[in-house]
Amino acid sequence: MLQKLFRVRPNDRIGLDLYAKTVEQARDPAFFTDLGVADEIDARFELYTLHILLLILRLRDEGEAGAEIAQDLFDVYVSALDNALRELGVHDVTVGKKMRKLGEALYGRMTAYEGPVRAADKAALAEALSRNVYSGAAGETGERLADYALRARVGLAGQSLKQVLARPAWAEVAA
């Protein structure tokens, strides 16, 4: 019985592996040097969330099996956010409040980005990215990042599930 309780599900490992690969992409220095994303905690959260959403949408395109992996990826992401708060020195008493606030922000970003990404609406996505990633800068500020996100969406869609699980091929970050 204890073995069943403490066993690692196969998708847990897939979610963790995909999370690591997604964070690696979101940390590409070109986002900060070429696209002008501030190298700050809030902006990195925005980039991680955008990339996680892009991968979750791709996985959901695979039906039930992909949706399960997408949920595991999302769960790993939320757990990583919790761990990051603790590493930043947030005390156990306030972690719940901070996580609730962070969860609301995460849900808000995913909601704001999902519609424009699915519709390939570059203008709406650029506006949302400008507001969130670039702290309210004018809409054209987010255009290059929106272009990247939409190219990444198309690129991920062109890969088989097996390829995505092995190594998602992200779009090139272009200035």
Side-chain angles (χ1 to χ4, degrees), residues 41-50 52-53 74 77-78 81 85 96-114 128-129 131-133:
I41 291 172
D42 291 345
R44 287 192 302 263
F45 164 76
E46 300 294 345
L47 283 178
Y48 295 167
T49 300
L50 176 63
I52 292 291
L53 174 67
F74 181 80
Y77 183 43
V78 171
L81 291 174
L85 283 176
K97 289 180 185 178
K98 297 266 187 199
M99 276 304 294
R100 184 171 40 256
K101 188 174 181 180
L102 201 53
E104 290 170 359
L106 176 61
Y107 178 76
R109 295 324 185 266
M110 289 189 151
T111 301
Y113 302 154
E114 183 175 0
L129 293 170
R131 184 176 52 251
N132 297 316
V133 178

Side-chain angles (χ1 to χ4, degrees), residues 117-157:
V117 166
R118 284 190 183 277
D121 185 344
K122 183 178 172 181
L125 183 58
E127 183 179 320
L129 293 170
S130 293
R131 184 176 52 251
N132 297 316
V133 178
Y134 296 98
S135 302
E140 63 271 1
T141 305
E143 284 183 8
R144 293 183 300 156
L145 184 55
D147 179 62
Y148 161 81
L150 295 176
R151 286 185 294 108
R153 169 86 166 142
V154 170
L156 289 169

Side-chain angles (χ1 to χ4, degrees), residues 56-70 161:
I56 284 173
L57 292 175
R58 169 59 187 93
L59 292 168
R60 285 182 183 165
D61 291 342
E62 291 293 325
E64 190 175 325
E68 186 177 320
I69 296 168
L161 178 61

